[in-house]
């Protein structure tokens, strides 16, 4: 008998060798794909964790702004007189008495730039008290949070150095800026009572939502305190804010304008009002805001 392998044996060995080689190639590809899958999953988890938080913050801010805007719209609709009625009133001798001007000693005039110096002692005393332990149970429109020394320094310069009209450095975040603005509102409330209204300008609904939450927390306010007939009004557009401020002055009231740190350009009419506080953001803060929005 011959020792040479048969053709059938050679063919089966060759096929088995090819199958083994193919299996090894497939196993190598599987290892590579599994490594790539693990890398993709890690990238998805890391990016989703950060993006989901940013998306949640934007949705929450927009929700707060939308709810407040709808409430303001409802209040404004209730105040519209669809059929104006003319009322004829006969002159009365009492009108002459009521028309007499009030004693200037009982009602201090609304402020203009540079008239905070007589109240300098009160302003410094309030700023110093704001740095103490926070009062979480203070009455509404009183500061409930503790003001940092840097924020107190900014406000002292704004009140007594700039006369209530000027820009101050941003505190680094919108919540801290809201705290500084809330401290200014609390002091102005003591000086002028309810004869002034705060107007906040920020060009994004999410930013306005952050302002609403920050002022609510710092001053103990409710949603009804934000609206056309309330103490604080939020604006996305400067022209609407300017129109509102003009109407307040026509009624003898005082607009207090707060400009968000992301507003890099301020309309000239805003600078003509007697009370405005603009927060000036640094390059790093502006870069962070651009990445977030």
């Amino acid at each position: 008998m011959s020792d040479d392998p048969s053709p059938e044996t050679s063919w089966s060995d060759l096929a088995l060798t090819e199958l083994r080689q193919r299996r090894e190639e497939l196993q190598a590809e599987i290892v590579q794909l599994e490594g790539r899958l693990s890398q993709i999953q890690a990238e998805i988890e890391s990016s989703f964790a950060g993006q989901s938080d940013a998306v949640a913050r934007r949705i929450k801010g927009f929700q707060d702004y939308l709810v407040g805007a709808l409430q303001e719209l409802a209040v404004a609709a209730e105040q519209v007189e669809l059929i104006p009625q003319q009322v004829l009133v006969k002159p009365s001798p009492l009108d002459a008495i009521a028309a007499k001007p009030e004693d200037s000693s009982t009602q201090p005039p609304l402020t203009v730039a540079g008239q905070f110096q007589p109240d300098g002692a009160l302003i410094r005393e309030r700023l110093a008290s704001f740095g103490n332990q926070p009062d979480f149970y203070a009455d509404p429109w009183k500061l409930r949070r503790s003001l940092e020394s840097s924020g107190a320094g900014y406000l002292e310069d704004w009140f007594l150095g700039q006369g209530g009209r000027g820009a101050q450095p941003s505190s680094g975040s919108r919540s801290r800026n809201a705290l500084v603005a809330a401290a200014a509102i609390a002091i102005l409330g003591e000086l002028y009572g309810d004869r002034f209204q705060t107007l906040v300008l920020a060009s994004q609904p999410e930013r306005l939502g952050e302002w609403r939450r920050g002022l609510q927390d710092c001053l103990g306010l409710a949603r009804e305190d934000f609206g056309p007939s309330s103490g604080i009004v939020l604006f996305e557009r400067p022209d609407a804010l300017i129109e509102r401020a003009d109407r307040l002055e026509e009624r003898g009231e005082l607009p207090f304008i707060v400009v968000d740190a992301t507003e890099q350009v301020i309309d000239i009419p805003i600078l003509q009002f007697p009370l405005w506080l603009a927060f000036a953001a640094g390059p790093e803060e502006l870069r962070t805001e651009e990445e977030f929005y």
Side-chain angles (χ1 to χ4, degrees), residues 69-290:
L70 291 175
Q71 290 180 342
E72 295 168 7
L73 181 61
V75 172
E78 293 176 356
Q79 296 176 348
V80 174
E81 296 182 0
L82 298 179
I83 304 178
Q85 299 179 355
Q86 295 183 354
V87 180
L88 299 178
V89 180
K90 295 182 178 180
S92 170
L94 297 177
D95 293 339
I97 300 176
K100 293 179 61 178
E102 298 181 357
D103 187 359
S104 60
S105 62
T106 60
Q107 290 289 338
L110 294 181
T111 185
V112 295
Q115 289 195 355
F116 286 111
Q117 292 299 331
D119 302 307
L122 172 64
I123 292 172
R124 291 189 179 94
E125 190 275 330
R126 291 294 182 269
L127 291 176
S129 66
F130 291 161
N132 298 331
Q133 187 71 17
D135 185 1
F136 298 109
Y137 301 99
D139 294 334
W141 300 102
K142 303 293 184 182
L143 191 66
R144 295 189 174 189
R145 299 295 177 181
S146 179
L147 183 65
E148 298 178 355
S149 58
S150 58
Y154 294 155
L155 283 183
E156 181 175 352
D157 179 63
W158 182 76
F159 273 108
L160 304 178
Q162 298 177 320
R165 301 174 73 249
Q168 289 293 327
S170 173
S171 300
S173 69
R174 192 162 289 108
S175 60
R176 293 193 183 98
N177 291 342
L179 173 59
V180 174
I185 293 171
I187 294 176
L188 290 173
E190 292 194 42
L191 295 177
Y192 304 108
D194 58 356
R195 292 187 295 155
F196 81 99
Q197 188 176 57
T198 302
L199 313 179
V200 180
L201 175 63
S203 58
Q204 293 285 348
E206 296 88 350
R207 294 166 181 165
L208 290 176
E210 291 183 47
W211 272 103
R212 182 191 295 273
R213 292 194 302 274
L215 294 176
Q216 275 185 299
D217 177 67
C218 294
L219 294 173
L221 305 181
R223 287 194 176 275
E224 53 266 23
D225 294 314
F226 295 83
S229 302
S230 304
I232 301 176
V233 190
L234 309 176
F235 294 90
E236 284 187 69
R237 298 181 294 105
D239 54 345
L241 181 145
I242 294 169
E243 181 180 352
R244 177 65 180 176
D246 285 334
R247 289 202 301 267
L248 288 173
E249 288 194 329
E250 290 174 358
R251 299 203 304 257
E253 300 180 20
L254 182 67
F256 170 42
I257 301 173
V258 179
V259 182
D260 186 70
T262 57
E263 301 296 318
Q264 301 184 36
V265 178
I266 303 178
D267 288 32
I268 292 178
I270 292 179
L271 307 181
Q272 298 173 355
F273 289 103
L275 277 182
W276 59 271
L277 171 60
F279 291 97
E284 184 63 29
E285 185 176 355
L286 290 175
R287 188 180 307 111
T288 303
E289 284 285 336
E290 291 176 355

Side-chain angles (χ1 to χ4, degrees), residues 7-21:
E8 294 181 358
T9 303
S10 300
W11 175 256
S12 61
D13 291 342
L14 180 60
L16 182 60
T17 302
E18 290 180 353
L19 288 174
R20 290 175 178 174
Q21 183 178 1

